[in-house]
Amino acid sequence: MAASVREKQAAALKRMLNFNTSPLKNTAAEPVWKVLIYDRFGQDIISPLLAVKELRDMGITLHLLLHSDRDPIPDVPAIYFVMPTEENIDRICQDLRNQLYESYYLNFISAISRSKLEDIAGAALSANAVTQVTKVFDQYLNFITLEDDMFILCNQNKELISYHAINKPDIMDTEMEAIMDTIVDSLFCFFVTLGAVPIIRCPRGNAAEMVAVKLDKKLRENLRDARNSLFTGDNMGAGQFSFQRPLFVLADRNLDLATPLHHTWTYQALIHDVLDFHLNRVSMDESVGSEASPSGARPKKKNKKSYDLTAADKFWQKHKGSPFPEVAESVQEELDTYRAQEDEVKRLKSIMGLEGEDEGAISSISMSDNTAKLTSAVSSLPELLEKKRLIDLHTNVATAVLDHIKSRKLDVYFEYEEKLMSKSTLDKSLLDIISDPDAGTPEDKMRLFLIFYITALQPPSESDLDQYKKALLETGCDLSSLNYIKQWKAFTKIAATPSNYGNSGVKPMGLFSRVMNSGSQFVMEGVKHLVLKQHNLPVTRILDNLMEMKSNPETDDYRYFDPKMLRGSESSTPRNKNPFQEAVVFVVGGGNYIEYQNLVDYTKAKPGKRVLYGCSELFNAGQFIKQLSSLGQK
């Protein structure tokens, strides 16, 4: 399989940190010591891909923000990784004037304009530093890769291209143009890094179509300039993609507003929903001991603890898409096996009277059978300690998630919403859940009600609606988001038909007795053990139609762009009739881990197919409801 976009972006960053030459694999030479200067955008791109240790291995002794106070380090080269904005260019010019570093390698995340380049040249001339500006590069890395098969456009200033920004009623044409240009610039960088010119499909009459038209034009212009095209020669490593080009499906968030509000049941999506999780790092309050502070004393300050959930964490890679009860059980199993190994080391040490000895002393004892066992135990100690760190991490994170599930009855919400979305029979009335003071926060209730409203074939009658509104207001809900959904539904005129969300349903499983027994850390009593049945969400279904070349009224009208065709032949009749092997789905207006996981599951069932998921911003239901509320405020 071709290298993943994550590997390609990481390789591009490593090349940049090696002064834009490919790092040699097996040289024992010391790396050149250097300083890395980045802005917030650069920091967000690097942090999910390269750990501090990897930066150090590449000779980065210091990494500093461009706009922080920095002292001169005159005999060290500096590598800059910043967006080509006015403020950043001014600051680089100031650094040149102050002669902060020995030499300057300027790398721009996105292409820099000619006029800004001239500004830098002018500053270098006046500071007498022309020879020190060693190289200037456009890196085309203006996107953030979170997984091998998932990327987002930005984390900084994401409100500028948010669902709210694109859908606000008083938006001006110039603002809309600027938003589209920002999105297209990032998507262009993405395809340059991927090294492929896609075939683009999109629906008509919305923001996704505007992005498609602009991206097609930008790719076409770049391909036409044969001397400087980014898609020829060295940039295209051989065999990166199969001979077939990837399909690029642009979807609009408005095609499915229910999924982003949906309560979820898989590990990664739950963490994003209930904890503070962004750019692959989860931050939580450490649980402080429950002893009361003496009266009159200040309450103890909670420590924030953050954990990185990375590709190197095997448990995470295996279980991030699993239903939560399975995760709880697996953490418990890992804990048990670890304890057995730990006891084995202690037991062997005590047999030989070596409790307090250091490893060095242990390894010098003559090799009887017992010692051989012990040495192997000691040599596996670092591995055991790393294992212990990961088990502790997942124990803490999973416990925090479980607390939310129990205190807010999230399993009840998840099951009820699945039934609403699949049009199954409901076992209790919506009003009962909304009125239950123990079930969930006002936001949980609002999410449930909006899903009911979005998926209902007939909107509820005025009298029913008033009754729901009254119940929602009594529990403290803000109804602004409902105002917006009403307008949206009147405007789109499409009620989500039963087929829209697949007839999934969830089936309660017999409780797993192991996790439920009191010996387990995860006492899951009172939490339903729900197992997901596989079903395709709207975005996955659209991708499936287009990737497999199926005829379907939903996608038959999608526009078709091929930037490699000389004349922009606008037709929706695809030239190629073969199904695609590789595709990228991108949601304009924001995406979420539920949709991502649904695509991952879809791809697992299709051997040889590869699908990447991207979105303009990644939000959880709470953040999405805020955007809907501000759109719906009268």
Side-chain angles (χ1 to χ4, degrees), residues 454-628:
I454 291 167
T455 54
L457 292 174
Q458 304 297 232
S461 67
E462 280 304 316
S463 60
D464 284 356
L465 191 58
D466 288 342
Q467 206 178 351
Y468 286 126
K469 278 182 169 175
K470 184 166 173 272
L472 287 165
L473 285 169
E474 276 167 10
T475 57
C477 294
D478 170 8
L479 298 184
S480 321
S481 49
L482 176 61
N483 300 335
Y484 177 73
I485 294 290
K486 271 176 150 174
Q487 295 163 7
W488 168 81
K489 206 161 174 172
F491 182 70
T492 48
K493 287 277 189 296
I494 42 165
T497 51
S499 64
N500 265 15
Y501 291 96
N503 45 1
S504 73
V506 284
K507 44 182 194 289
M509 280 273 288
L511 297 181
F512 275 3
S513 53
R514 271 201 76 260
V515 179
M516 306 310 158
N517 71 23
S518 51
S520 160
Q521 296 234 334
F522 295 97
V523 186
M524 308 239 339
E525 283 142 13
V527 176
K528 287 188 179 173
H529 193 94
L530 303 167
V531 171
L532 296 165
K533 282 196 343 207
Q534 197 38 48
H535 63 289
N536 287 345
L537 290 172
V539 168
T540 309
R541 210 177 48 247
I542 283 169
L543 170 83
D544 181 52
N545 290 342
L546 295 170
M547 211 170 169
E548 301 294 345
M549 296 293 185
K550 295 178 183 169
S551 177
N552 185 306
E554 197 175 13
T555 48
D556 285 348
D557 191 34
Y558 270 44
R559 292 184 66 177
Y560 177 95
F561 298 91
D562 182 349
K564 281 193 169 177
M565 301 300 287
L566 283 173
R567 283 184 307 283
S569 57
E570 166 46 45
S571 73
S572 49
T573 47
R575 294 233 171 330
N576 60 335
K577 295 284 180 267
N578 299 335
F580 286 89
Q581 293 307 306
E582 292 170 331
V584 181
V585 187
F586 183 83
V587 186
V588 179
N592 52 70
Y593 282 113
I594 307 175
E595 241 161 26
Y596 163 66
Q597 192 54 50
N598 196 250
L599 282 164
V600 170
D601 295 339
Y602 163 81
T603 317
K604 275 183 191 153
K606 306 261 180 188
K609 300 256 180 198
R610 237 180 94 190
V611 176
L612 290 168
Y613 176 73
C615 49
S616 45
E617 64 162 329
L618 189 64
F619 45 52
N620 62 20
Q623 294 156 338
F624 188 49
I625 269 211
K626 284 198 179 81
Q627 295 196 31
L628 296 178

Side-chain angles (χ1 to χ4, degrees), residues 34-301:
K34 47 206 173 248
V35 185
L36 171 64
I37 311 292
Y38 46 42
D39 60 1
R40 294 258 179 232
F41 290 94
Q43 186 180 30
D44 286 347
I45 292 167
I46 293 171
S47 75
L49 293 175
L50 301 175
V52 174
K53 181 186 176 305
E54 289 177 272
L55 292 177
R56 201 165 294 132
D57 291 346
M58 298 201 64
I60 301 293
T61 45
L62 270 178
H63 38 97
L64 303 163
L65 280 166
L66 176 67
H67 292 283
S68 59
D69 291 330
R70 291 173 281 116
D71 297 325
I73 313 176
D75 47 358
V76 171
I79 293 176
Y80 285 72
F81 184 52
V82 297
M83 286 292 266
T85 61
E86 287 291 341
E87 308 82 57
N88 287 354
I89 304 289
D90 290 347
R91 189 60 193 254
I92 291 170
C93 295
Q94 190 183 322
D95 288 357
L96 291 171
R97 284 193 289 274
N98 296 342
Q99 303 199 333
L100 289 190
Y101 308 109
E102 174 193 64
S103 53
Y104 302 82
Y105 291 79
L106 306 179
N107 297 279
F108 293 102
I109 297 172
S110 243
I112 182 171
S113 66
R114 169 122 201 163
S115 64
K116 287 183 179 143
L117 263 179
E118 286 165 0
D119 293 344
I120 295 176
L125 267 173
S126 63
N128 213 356
V130 174
T131 51
Q132 289 162 294
V133 180
T134 317
K135 283 185 176 167
V136 180
F137 272 88
D138 289 333
Q139 288 293 350
Y140 294 101
L141 291 174
N142 188 14
F143 60 97
I144 300 171
T145 312
L146 295 178
E147 303 283 345
D148 283 345
D149 47 8
M150 180 187 194
F151 68 101
I152 59 174
L153 295 198
C154 61
N155 184 45
Q156 300 297 321
N157 301 356
K158 58 177 179 235
E159 62 285 347
L160 299 180
I161 58 167
S162 65
Y163 180 83
H164 177 266
I166 295 171
N167 290 282
K168 59 181 191 189
D170 53 351
I171 188 165
M172 288 153 59
D173 289 355
T174 47
E175 286 178 88
M176 195 64 166
E177 285 286 317
I179 294 172
M180 296 301 124
D181 287 340
T182 307
I183 293 175
V184 167
D185 178 66
S186 286
L187 289 174
F188 181 75
C189 290
F190 171 80
F191 284 110
V192 170
T193 305
L194 203 59
V197 181
I199 283 167
I200 306 170
R201 302 294 308 267
C202 71
R204 295 174 185 270
N206 53 23
E209 181 180 32
M210 295 164 77
V211 172
V213 172
K214 277 181 178 285
L215 181 64
D216 174 59
K217 182 167 177 255
K218 187 158 182 147
L219 287 165
R220 196 179 291 279
E221 282 167 0
N222 189 270
L223 289 166
R224 197 175 296 144
D225 180 1
R227 274 185 327 180
N228 298 319
S229 174
L230 295 159
F231 294 96
T232 51
D234 306 341
N235 293 316
M236 304 293 285
Q240 286 185 338
F241 259 93
S242 53
F243 58 86
Q244 198 193 25
R245 288 158 56 196
L247 169 72
F248 183 46
V249 178
L250 276 153
D252 196 285
R253 181 71 277 154
N254 279 318
L255 100 121
D256 170 18
L257 294 186
T259 301
L261 297 167
H262 189 14
H263 286 85
T264 174
W265 201 233
T266 54
Y267 192 30
Q268 183 177 37
L270 263 169
I271 292 174
H272 190 232
D273 191 7
V274 302
L275 303 176
D276 174 13
F277 179 53
H278 56 281
L279 299 185
N280 295 352
R281 170 171 292 184
V282 59
S283 308
M284 340 192 288
D285 291 330
E286 259 192 313
S287 44
V288 190
S290 54
E291 72 275 6
S293 45
S295 56
R298 279 194 190 154
K300 283 192 177 164
K301 191 162 171 280

